[in-house]
Amino acid sequence: MSARIVPRIAIINAMLVSTNVDGTGDPAAYAAGTTYGQDTAAVPVMVQDPVTHLVYRSRVANNTGNTPATSPTQWQVVGFTNAWRMFGTRTSVQTARAEVIDVQLKVGEPIDSLTLLNTDATLVQVTQTDPVDGVVFDTTYLMVDTEVADYDEYFFSPVVTRDRLLVTGLAPYASSTIRLQIKKPGGTAACAACLVGLSQYAGQAKWGIEMGIDDFSLKNVSQYGEAALQPGDYADNLNLTAYVPRARSTAFAALLKRQRAKPLLIVGDDTLPDTALYGWIESWRRTFEYLQEDVYTLSFKGLT
């Protein structure tokens, strides 16, 4: 089981060649001469920054002349516009569009992997085109889970779709363009996280990878044992042990140090999409246990 770490490449305006997700439903751009009221549940007051694509809510009444990006007392960031949610740092808020999301990326540096998380689709097509070599990668992935236990489940159970996809084997051409089509005919295609990057070998993972969640729901129990439950966000977590060859261990330790407090993708086993987590390195330990390889215990926390 090969574990891999993919440092996140932040997608910026210059990298997004095109998208078919328009601004329907997004708030208007901030206007310096406008007086904004206070955002409430009854009367939402929100604006967007068309450069960063961040969405802000007004925190005060009579809000005039306060640029959102530099006025945290008057404005609070609440997320991204619809088209840019899939390139942000949250995995619980999705970019959504009827039937198909069609985007093209030109990152400008070598990448070999693409990962989708919290995705709602039946088909995903990934096409990589190089200006010299033409199409070098073109694969369509079925997102419907076809595994069934028996005929009753096949005929009568609801259709289940996989919510994540790991794409490996992209050609590391810096000048290539990646076209991503997330398709759900007759429904709403959605994706919370689209991550591209150059994967780094993280050793051979030991069997027994642990995954779970940190639940941020509110759970209050009264003195009489009555429970008040309010569902909230949650974040994945992952713990694994990896064996790294001694010849590569120093470079791997340096990678872990560089990536501290930075969002990244960790894949516990590159054949198991369920072991993919988008988050940060919580802690790690290196043990000089064997002559030819070191043992790493790694703990990761996921983003919500």
Side-chain angles (χ1 to χ4, degrees), residues 234-295:
Y234 69 90
D236 293 324
N237 58 58
L238 182 147
N239 298 294
L240 64 86
T241 299
Y243 299 91
V244 179
R246 178 67 53 77
R248 306 179 68 170
S249 189
T250 298
F252 180 60
L255 171 68
L256 295 176
K257 292 175 183 177
R258 290 196 305 272
Q259 294 302 317
R260 66 189 186 282
K262 294 180 180 179
L264 52 75
L265 177 75
I266 174 66
V267 182
D269 180 354
D270 53 12
T271 66
L272 295 175
D274 284 348
T275 64
L277 178 144
Y278 181 34
W280 71 91
I281 302 168
E282 176 74 2
S283 65
W284 60 274
R285 293 290 182 272
R286 176 185 182 184
T287 304
F288 297 85
E289 189 165 345
Y290 302 107
L291 180 63
Q292 299 295 329
E293 60 186 6
D294 295 337
V295 180

Side-chain angles (χ1 to χ4, degrees), residues 25-64:
D26 291 333
Y30 170 75
T34 301
T35 298
Y36 296 94
Q38 184 174 8
D39 176 74
T40 64
V43 184
V45 180
M46 298 189 185
V47 299
Q48 66 162 294
D49 184 330
V51 176
T52 63
H53 311 288
L54 288 170
V55 175
Y56 297 83
R57 61 176 290 269
S58 177
R59 305 179 68 177
V60 298
N62 299 316
N63 193 349
T64 308

Side-chain angles (χ1 to χ4, degrees), residues 3-277:
R4 296 194 175 273
I5 286 177
V6 185
R8 174 179 177 260
I9 296 177
I11 302 301
I12 60 175
N13 290 330
M15 297 178 183
L16 184 59
V17 177
S18 66
T19 177
N20 69 339
V21 181
D22 58 25
T24 303
D26 291 333
Y30 170 75
T34 301
T35 298
Y36 296 94
Q38 184 174 8
D39 176 74
T40 64
V43 184
V45 180
M46 298 189 185
V47 299
Q48 66 162 294
D49 184 330
V51 176
T52 63
H53 311 288
L54 288 170
V55 175
Y56 297 83
R57 61 176 290 269
S58 177
R59 305 179 68 177
V60 298
N62 299 316
N63 193 349
T64 308
N66 301 304
T67 303
T70 57
S71 306
T73 301
Q74 291 80 21
W75 295 96
Q76 178 185 7
V77 176
V78 294
F80 284 90
T81 58
N82 187 23
W84 284 85
R85 288 171 190 155
M86 62 191 293
F87 304 117
T89 55
R90 298 199 64 187
T91 59
S92 59
V93 184
Q94 297 170 308
T95 292
R97 187 186 185 278
E99 298 203 334
V100 61
I101 298 171
D102 190 343
V103 301
Q104 293 192 63
L105 300 172
K106 189 171 184 178
V107 179
E109 58 183 281
I111 63 172
D112 63 1
S113 63
L114 179 148
T115 303
L116 304 180
L117 299 176
N118 191 5
T119 301
D120 190 358
T122 53
L123 292 170
V124 173
Q125 183 175 358
V126 180
T127 308
Q128 183 183 18
T129 306
D130 182 76
V132 176
D133 294 337
V135 176
V136 294
F137 187 96
D138 189 0
T139 304
T140 299
Y141 301 89
L142 179 66
M143 299 297 286
V144 177
D145 188 353
T146 57
E147 296 295 327
V148 294
D150 51 39
Y151 283 110
D152 284 343
E153 186 173 333
Y154 179 84
F155 285 108
F156 301 111
S157 295
V159 175
V160 177
T161 58
R162 294 182 286 123
D163 69 348
R164 58 185 58 200
L165 174 68
L166 304 181
V167 177
T168 58
L170 295 175
Y173 295 170
S175 58
S176 67
T177 299
I178 305 294
R179 184 182 183 187
L180 172 65
Q181 299 174 79
I182 302 170
K183 305 175 182 180
K184 189 174 184 181
T188 300
C191 176
C194 173
L195 311 170
V196 296
L198 191 63
S199 61
Q200 307 290 321
Y201 177 71
Q204 292 296 118
K206 177 183 176 181
W207 282 108
I209 296 172
E210 296 179 344
M211 290 199 71
I213 67 168
D214 296 314
D215 187 7
F216 305 115
S217 301
L218 297 179
K219 301 172 280 284
N220 295 315
V221 180
S222 72
Q223 60 180 326
Y224 304 107
E226 297 174 337
L229 306 178
Q230 183 178 341
D233 283 340
Y234 69 90
D236 293 324
N237 58 58
L238 182 147
N239 298 294
L240 64 86
T241 299
Y243 299 91
V244 179
R246 178 67 53 77
R248 306 179 68 170
S249 189
T250 298
F252 180 60
L255 171 68
L256 295 176
K257 292 175 183 177
R258 290 196 305 272
Q259 294 302 317
R260 66 189 186 282
K262 294 180 180 179
L264 52 75
L265 177 75
I266 174 66
V267 182
D269 180 354
D270 53 12
T271 66
L272 295 175
D274 284 348
T275 64
L277 178 144

